Amino acid sequence: KAGVTQTPRYLIKTRGQQVTLSCSPISGHRSVSWYQQTPGQGLQFLFEYFSETQRNKGNFPGRFSGRQFSNSRSEMNVSTLELGDSALYLCASSPGNRDRAYGYTFGSGTRLTVV
Amino acid sequence: GDSVTQMEGPVTLSEEAFLTINCTYTATGYPSLFWYVQYPGEGLQLLLKATKADDKGSNKGFEATYRKETTSFHLEKGSVQVSDSAVYFCALLNSNDYKLSFGAGTTVTVRA
């Protein structure tokens, strides 16, 4: 069974540009969550999608957005990039039902560097 | 809101030593608790989990017991190996929410 696939693995962008990151969840999983990991702030929740609907959102500015497609694949977009957006962006998938015992399976992440 | 507090690192041990990483939490309701591990350059891997009080999660020689009375979920391993060198994260998933709340992470280095 394939795991969570994130593309690209590495990305270098210039301040002011925008970027789109992609995540393909485990087959059959309907929930996709996004997290930002930085040395200073640790792991912070961005948002979670289930069946194409955003169910939960973290405390990030509106420059951070996401969406989920009918095949459960998800994208997140960051517009007007700032140096502080440099981070590892992690995607996690789960079945999406209320079985808390499952937890979440993470992808390897996309390393975004803003210069 | 929900929060997780982990012991500060880094932790440096010799091979075959005993490892404990303390984790305490604050949450409403009855959260599920997890330990994740992150190796250099990789994402998070689920190490073990517990979904209710007194449950013990275990995997690869690691164990943690969900203690509701002390709101704790300490990670232990009796004999560490060099390959256990990684960053360990304690996390909780609230029963009313769809997001994981993570601790700051503890870096563990095991020397041969």
Side-chain angles (χ1 to χ4, degrees):
Chain A
K1 199 173 189 182
V4 179
T5 303
Q6 290 189 247
T7 57
R9 285 297 308 272
Y10 301 93
L11 208 47
I12 300 176
K13 289 287 187 179
T14 304
R15 270 181 300 176
Q17 287 186 313
Q18 74 164 10
V19 66
T20 298
L21 312 181
S22 178
C23 172
S24 293
I26 290 172
S27 178
H29 284 191
R30 296 165 66 191
S31 167
V32 174
S33 303
W34 290 89
Y35 291 81
Q36 181 196 64
Q37 185 178 25
T38 59
Q41 300 297 317
L43 283 152
Q44 295 187 287
F45 172 77
L46 280 154
F47 26 65
E48 188 255 0
Y49 287 88
F50 175 76
S51 292
E52 302 179 67
T53 299
Q54 188 181 87
R55 281 199 300 199
N56 205 352
K57 188 178 188 306
N59 296 322
F60 278 82
R63 300 185 297 108
F64 292 81
S65 62
R67 60 177 175 170
Q68 186 180 34
F69 302 96
S70 58
N71 62 357
S72 293
R73 190 177 71 85
S74 177
E75 290 181 347
M76 68 163 281
N77 182 276
V78 188
S79 62
T80 318
L81 283 166
E82 301 176 359
L83 295 179
D85 297 332
S86 295
L88 180 66
Y89 290 88
L90 293 164
C91 166
S93 85
S94 81
N97 54 29
R98 290 195 175 271
D99 179 9
R100 302 294 168 171
Y102 183 87
Y104 289 82
T105 302
F106 283 79
S108 296
T110 293
R111 172 74 63 186
L112 171 65
T113 302
V114 182
V115 297
Chain B
D2 300 338
S3 67
V4 177
T5 302
Q6 279 181 245
M7 64 183 281
E8 299 262 339
V11 175
T12 302
L13 302 164
S14 298
E15 225 171 7
E16 300 183 4
F18 184 86
L19 170 67
T20 299
I21 303 177
N22 289 340
C23 170
T24 57
Y25 68 89
T26 301
T28 56
Y30 303 95
S32 297
L33 301 174
F34 305 87
W35 276 100
Y36 282 88
V37 59
Q38 186 174 37
Y39 298 100
E42 298 185 13
L44 301 177
Q45 295 179 24
L46 178 63
L47 183 59
L48 53 82
K49 60 189 176 185
T51 58
K52 61 183 186 298
D54 300 324
D55 267 2
K56 177 185 280 190
S58 61
N59 185 28
K60 299 181 181 179
F62 290 90
E63 292 184 340
T65 301
Y66 189 143
R67 300 287 187 200
K68 194 170 190 305
E69 63 277 12
T70 54
T71 61
S72 65
F73 192 55
H74 304 323
L75 182 68
E76 296 181 337
K77 185 174 185 182
S79 177
V80 295
Q81 305 300 314
V82 172
S83 57
D84 294 324
S85 298
V87 182
Y88 293 81
F89 293 92
C90 184
L92 73 82
L93 182 64
N94 200 295
S95 56
N96 300 318
D97 214 339
Y98 298 101
K99 66 177 184 180
L100 286 162
S101 296
F102 287 93
T106 302
T107 300
V108 174
T109 302
V110 181
R111 295 184 173 167

